[in-house]
Amino acid sequence: MSNPHVLLLGAPGAGKGTQSRRLVDEFGIEHVTTGDALRENKQMETEYGTPAEYMDAGELVPDPVVNEIVKVALEEADGYVLDGYPRNESQTEYLDSITDLDVVLYLDVAEDELVRRLTGRRVCDDCGATFHVEFDQPEEEGVCDECGGDLYQREDDTEETARERISVYEENTTPVVEYFRDQGVLVEVDGERTPDEVWTDVRDAVAERAD
Ligand code: AMP
């Protein structure tokens, strides 16, 4: 298997973006992330309104909008890491109908740690690299170490919206984690360690199934 199909599950702030970037570099696959795709199309008019109306409140964007984004992205990808989707049971069924997964990874992180990570997170507006105001500071404040781009705070990374996103996650996405756990295909990874430690487990799990 030279082009693994990887699903990365975990709450907002669990480290999915960081680990996805490493998977892209290591395995030469595409990063398919509904969060980024929606942020790029936040003001797009759909029959349900704009994605922004849901995202700024920390709520889920309606399934038909998100399903279509994923369908197109997966059709175009030769190997992928899917991040931020599926987030509920209906998206899980849809995903099942359009692709086969090789690995399902779950990054496990406790709620207080998620809030700390989200509220201190800063993102590069150019390459998407993430930093943290306390735990992972860039060399120069406000400037991306990797590409020199400007760092910004996502509008939904305020404490109130972060907590709402985590509670929406618990309610909607916990059944998704259970679904894959019941199928016996879930690889659970302790996400509270350093990015390098988490990466060792993530890489090994994918490499084992890529043989
Ligand atoms: P994220 O970057 O994954 O934290 O996503 C940011 C926001 O985009 C979420 O709070 C939702 O409003 C929206 N979003 C991302 N992925 C999905 C999805 N699979 N289903 C519905 N809404 C989503």
Side-chain angles (χ1 to χ4, degrees), residues 101-175:
L101 299 168
D102 297 306
V103 197
V104 184
L105 290 153
Y106 171 55
L107 301 181
D108 190 14
V109 176
E111 176 165 350
D112 283 352
E113 174 65 13
L114 294 172
V115 173
R116 255 196 303 277
R117 289 184 185 183
L118 290 169
T119 52
R121 175 161 73 176
R122 298 293 182 271
V123 187
C124 174
D125 70 0
D126 222 10
C127 75
T130 56
F131 299 85
H132 192 280
V133 291
E134 267 177 78
F135 315 131
D136 182 16
Q137 296 174 350
E139 273 173 31
E140 193 183 332
E141 199 186 324
V143 181
C144 176
D145 286 350
E146 296 193 18
C147 76
D150 290 334
L151 303 183
Y152 73 101
Q153 180 173 31
R154 275 174 46 173
E155 283 171 26
D156 58 357
D157 278 347
T158 58
E159 171 142 8
E160 190 190 352
T161 311
R163 287 202 183 272
E164 177 61 19
R165 287 160 62 208
I166 292 165
S167 107
V168 166
Y169 170 85
E170 299 282 343
E171 196 180 318
N172 295 276
T173 316
T174 304

